[in-house]
Amino acid sequence: MNENPPPCPKCSCEYTYEMNALIVCPECGHEWVPAEDVAEGGDAAGERVVKDAVGNVLQDGDSVVVVKALKVKGSPSGIKAGTKVRNIRLVDGVDGHDIDCKVDGFGAMQLKSSVVRKA
């Protein structure tokens, strides 16, 4: 390994350390093998993989179901758990919002992949 381990891919903490074959982040507790990062980055050629709340890989055009109630600014009621959203589009959104979609009754919005599951 090199002298300075890479920053954490989840929280960007620079105080990571090596523990046997793993690199550990002391702030968020994320552990990873540095060889996995190199293999994923080289094989995917810049294409990132977006997974839902249960680990299924999402793709453009999929239908998803919201797994927890979400508050929506400017709306007296939020999006209820179990709401089905069709024809999603994966984007590089702001603050972890990586799904662009239209929700019936609310219109166009972005959702986080961690609050949906593949339908």
Side-chain angles (χ1 to χ4, degrees):
M1 290 264 143
N2 54 9
E3 291 180 21
N4 298 324
C8 178
K10 287 200 171 189
C11 70
S12 301
C13 173
E14 59 186 32
Y15 301 111
T16 57
Y17 60 91
E18 296 176 26
M19 184 175 69
N20 298 330
L22 296 175
I23 296 183
V24 181
C25 175
E27 289 187 8
C28 70
H30 180 62
E31 299 176 346
W32 73 99
V33 177
E36 286 180 353
D37 292 342
V38 174
E40 287 177 1
D43 292 347
E47 186 175 325
R48 69 185 178 112
V49 176
V50 177
K51 294 185 178 183
D52 67 1
V54 293
N56 298 323
V57 177
L58 296 174
Q59 297 177 345
D60 287 343
D62 282 346
S63 294
V64 295
V65 176
V66 177
V67 295
K68 69 180 228 178
L70 303 173
K71 294 180 182 178
V72 178
K73 282 186 180 178
S75 174
S77 64
I79 299 172
K80 295 180 181 179
T83 302
K84 188 169 184 176
V85 180
R86 294 181 190 84
N87 198 18
I88 65 169
R89 192 170 55 113
L90 302 178
V91 295
D92 290 330
V94 178
D95 197 29
H97 294 82
D98 45 11
I99 297 175
D100 195 22
C101 60
K102 287 184 183 177
V103 180
D104 290 339
F106 292 95
M109 64 177 50
Q110 291 187 342
L111 299 173
K112 292 183 178 183
S113 59
S114 60
V115 297
V116 298
R117 70 173 167 80
K118 198 169 186 175

